[in-house]
Amino acid sequence: MASFKLGRMVMRSLFKKPATLMYPVIQREWQERTRGHIENEIDECIFCGICQKKCPANALTVDKISKSWTIARMQCIQCSCCIEVCPKKCLKNMNIYTSPSTEKVVDRYVGSPQESKPVPKAAPEEENEAVGEKVL
Amino acid sequence: MGKRTIIPFGPQHPVLPEPVHLDLVIEDEKVIEAIPSIGFIHRGLEKLVEKKEYTELVYVIERICGICSFGHGWGYCHAVESLMNIEIPERANYLRTIWHELSRMHSHMLWLGLLADGFGFESLFMHCWRLREKVLDLFEKTTGGRVIFSVCKVGGVRKDIDKADLKEIVNVTRGMEKEFRELADTFMKDYSVKNRLAGIGVLSKEDALELCTVGPMARASGVYLDMRLTGHGVYDKLGFEPCIETAGDCYARCIVRIREIYQSIDLISKAAEMIPDGEIAVPVKGNLPKGEFIARLEQPRGECFYYAKGADSKFLERFRVRTPTNINLPALVKILQGCDLADVPMLILTIDPCISCTER
Ligand code: SF4
Ligand code: SF4
């Protein structure tokens, strides 16, 4: 008897659209809260190093002198701990995953050199290409 | 009397993705003795307490296991909160309970699927996992992760579930209940499934007590034991009663888990109804963890035990987890004695082993 019950379910699913997505063709829709990867708005960052200290996976390296913020993508466990502790709130959680890779990707964000001047507010900020450059 | 042979089972075996190794002493297709050995995937997570501050350690502890990750996070937070005398807000307690029960649903559905796969009922396996996917989607929507949630923190939870999402959780789980009933009927009534499970691997109540079994394994042998009765979370307010079966065989263990899925759905609905408004976390400032505490929590697989020792510093001195599979292994060895070789995978599956948890 019970087998027929499952038979009904199997028959039903035969006429429904598949439960899986045809992945590379049809992309999955991520939720708003999905913890995909971390981005840094590098111009806001003050390179205080708190995120590096608090990261449970030791995925972050912050260098105050060269003004760089480096994240080892494969090491990061997407816990969002760094986002919580950042005093400038410059870290953001993106709900898209980084693309798959066979190598250990390391993303390096470098702050714009203008900001190293003692009076950063004086410089017109729109001019320089403020977006942090990415180095693989 | 036949000739004795030793058959190695695992650590890599098609029926079980978990690395547990058993030396089965066989005589005429009957298992005389089983000698288990574990330790293939030790990761030394407990050692990390010395390197990570107690507030960040929760993200490491959660990763002990992919299935009961929320429970591990909760157990750790509960232990540390008790060391620091932190009272967490009521809403956080409710949210934790809801997430924990969702975890139980998805863990049991995963297990049912694996069981169906174990006895070769492929379509049943697929449908169990298809249904389980809905719980994972709920997790993703409410926490941001499908497997590891990172929502539990010392002092409460990190994310709130708003009214609309709570309603969606209730609607989705209630909708699943209908579909799950069809699947459960197959497990409970199907002739071939019954044939594979009923009367196999009987563990008597006395043995269950003597071997200290926990979780669904103990409850299937008629032992009235469930850590949710001890008052963690808000289970006492939800009117929780454990599901008990008395037969003690594989079939009873399957029934207990099926009944627990229904029960979890009810608990989630009740919790979603009763959840109070308010804060979801209290700030953790001031005193540091000091002293010793043991937290006990009912994971999907049974009682889990978290020991924390604070050293009045940011780093805990010692943290230890005793996982349910660890305790259920002696019972597994017991029920393996005298069983047929063909039933061995079934027996191993019905204790719901999680070796990654066990070895941490
Ligand atoms: S905590 Fe924020 S401001 Fe400080 S280094 Fe990290 S990203 Fe920059
Ligand atoms: S998300 Fe977690 S693991 Fe990743 S960089 Fe931030 S703190 Fe480190």
Side-chain angles (χ1 to χ4, degrees):
Chain A
M1 273 310 287
S3 299
F4 288 118
K5 279 217 149 150
L6 190 72
R8 274 222 297 275
M9 191 181 251
V10 172
M11 286 307 279
R12 268 207 318 270
S13 58
L14 207 60
F15 296 107
K16 270 201 282 200
K17 67 177 202 283
T20 47
L21 295 176
M22 293 298 168
Y23 166 61
V25 186
I26 302 167
Q27 294 282 339
R28 191 173 192 276
E29 274 177 37
W30 302 109
Q31 302 287 348
E32 195 194 317
R33 285 189 180 178
T34 304
R35 300 193 309 271
H37 72 278
I38 308 282
E39 286 283 351
N40 190 352
E41 283 177 21
I42 198 71
D43 285 340
E44 301 282 314
C45 180
I46 52 168
F47 307 99
C48 63
I50 295 180
C51 53
Q52 174 185 356
K53 213 169 127 229
K54 295 278 180 180
C55 172
N58 301 335
L60 299 176
T61 322
V62 183
D63 190 359
K64 200 158 190 164
I65 296 159
S66 65
K67 284 193 171 290
S68 70
W69 184 90
T70 315
I71 179 167
R73 291 280 178 212
M74 304 285 160
Q75 215 166 316
C76 169
I77 52 175
Q78 257 73 264
C79 65
S80 309
C81 188
C82 49
I83 301 180
E84 234 164 57
V85 297
C86 176
K88 298 298 281 182
K89 298 286 162 235
C90 60
L91 295 176
K92 284 222 162 51
N93 172 38
M94 298 305 189
N95 66 349
I96 299 169
Y97 291 97
T98 45
S99 39
S101 160
T102 49
E103 265 152 47
K104 295 199 169 172
V105 181
V106 175
D107 282 343
R108 185 151 174 259
Y109 294 69
V110 184
S112 49
Q114 267 83 351
E115 283 188 19
S116 60
K117 283 181 191 165
V119 214
K121 283 278 176 300
E125 296 212 2
E126 272 77 49
E127 289 307 310
N128 54 57
E129 295 262 60
V131 196
E133 72 183 80
K134 277 189 174 184
V135 187
L136 193 75
Chain B
M1 190 169 144
K3 194 168 150 246
R4 289 199 173 184
T5 354
I6 295 180
I7 296 187
F9 182 99
Q12 293 181 15
H13 191 276
V15 78
L16 194 72
E18 302 264 5
V20 59
H21 173 80
L22 288 161
D23 277 321
L24 302 169
V25 184
I26 307 285
E27 197 182 284
D28 293 342
E29 289 280 307
K30 286 257 183 248
V31 178
I32 306 289
E33 201 187 351
I35 305 152
S37 50
I38 53 171
F40 295 94
I41 43 165
H42 177 67
R43 289 161 292 159
L45 288 180
E46 285 168 350
K47 179 81 178 152
L48 284 178
V49 294
E50 296 163 17
K51 299 224 177 83
K52 298 279 159 220
E53 286 179 25
Y54 70 94
T55 39
E56 282 84 61
L57 192 70
V58 54
Y59 309 118
V60 177
I61 297 302
E62 265 186 333
R63 283 161 174 82
I64 287 178
C65 176
I67 309 294
C68 26
S69 63
F70 187 79
H72 286 309
W74 189 0
Y76 171 79
C77 289
H78 181 45
V80 174
E81 282 154 7
S82 307
L83 287 181
M84 302 173 69
N85 296 321
I86 296 175
E87 192 71 45
I88 69 159
E90 191 66 2
R91 189 175 174 88
N93 239 338
Y94 269 90
L95 290 174
R96 284 182 182 183
T97 307
I98 290 172
W99 275 316
H100 194 51
E101 284 311 306
L102 281 171
S103 298
R104 190 181 315 279
M105 277 176 74
H106 102 82
S107 169
H108 283 350
M109 279 180 184
L110 174 119
W111 177 82
L112 285 170
L114 284 178
L115 183 77
D117 188 42
F119 53 62
F121 204 150
E122 288 293 326
S123 44
L124 192 54
F125 155 63
M126 298 267 180
H127 280 286
C128 284
W129 280 35
R130 175 179 62 83
L131 215 52
R132 169 178 174 260
E133 198 63 28
K134 295 189 182 174
V135 185
L136 298 188
D137 286 344
L138 286 178
F139 277 137
E140 191 179 349
K141 182 145 197 211
T142 52
T143 70
R146 286 161 53 82
V147 175
I148 307 280
F149 315 134
S150 300
V151 280
C152 219
K153 70 169 181 187
V154 178
V157 291
R158 297 167 85 193
K159 285 179 182 151
D160 201 354
I161 311 183
D162 60 19
K163 275 219 173 66
D165 282 349
L166 275 175
K167 206 165 165 197
E168 191 186 332
I169 291 179
V170 174
N171 288 345
V172 170
T173 47
R174 284 284 170 212
M176 280 169 70
E177 190 179 1
K178 243 184 255 155
E179 270 193 89
F180 181 68
R181 216 165 275 281
E182 291 180 45
L183 288 177
D185 265 4
T186 315
F187 275 106
M188 297 204 284
K189 298 192 187 136
D190 190 84
Y191 169 75
S192 47
V193 175
K194 234 177 172 170
N195 242 357
R196 272 319 289 276
L197 300 178
I200 310 280
V202 180
L203 184 73
S204 66
K205 188 174 177 181
E206 291 72 40
D207 282 340
L209 283 171
E210 195 172 318
L211 295 169
C212 305
T213 49
V214 292
M217 180 103 176
R219 292 197 281 280
S221 298
V223 183
Y224 190 83
L225 175 86
D226 196 310
M227 285 309 119
R228 285 175 282 180
L229 291 168
T230 57
H232 75 79
V234 289
Y235 291 105
D236 41 353
K237 296 192 187 105
L238 301 176
F240 168 78
E241 264 303 308
C243 306
I244 310 284
E245 290 282 327
T246 46
D249 55 358
C250 289
Y251 186 62
R253 295 196 267 276
C254 182
I255 303 285
V256 165
R257 290 191 175 104
I258 287 174
R259 281 176 54 198
E260 282 189 1
I261 292 181
Y262 291 132
Q263 190 183 40
S264 292
I265 296 176
D266 288 342
L267 289 173
I268 291 166
S269 309
K270 264 191 220 164
E273 225 170 71
M274 289 163 60
I275 188 165
D277 289 331
E279 288 293 304
I280 54 164
V282 286
V284 187
K285 291 235 164 67
N287 57 341
L288 292 162
K290 203 160 92 181
E292 288 174 288
F293 192 81
I294 291 169
R296 293 154 87 200
L297 196 87
E298 186 72 18
Q299 291 276 24
R301 292 171 175 76
E303 175 197 343
C304 198
F305 172 119
Y306 303 85
Y307 168 80
K309 185 172 180 192
D312 206 5
S313 85
K314 281 190 171 172
F315 303 91
L316 294 183
E317 191 174 325
R318 181 88 174 91
F319 183 69
R320 172 151 168 79
V321 188
R322 190 190 74 172
T323 56
T325 310
N326 212 343
I327 319 164
N328 281 340
L329 277 179
L332 171 69
V333 173
K334 167 90 189 166
I335 56 177
L336 279 175
Q337 283 165 8
C339 78
D340 280 334
L341 180 60
D343 288 332
V344 171
M346 279 302 98
L347 293 182
I348 297 179
L349 273 177
T350 52
I351 78 159
D352 199 359
C354 180
I355 306 297
S356 321
C357 278
T358 309
E359 296 175 9
R360 301 176 297 284

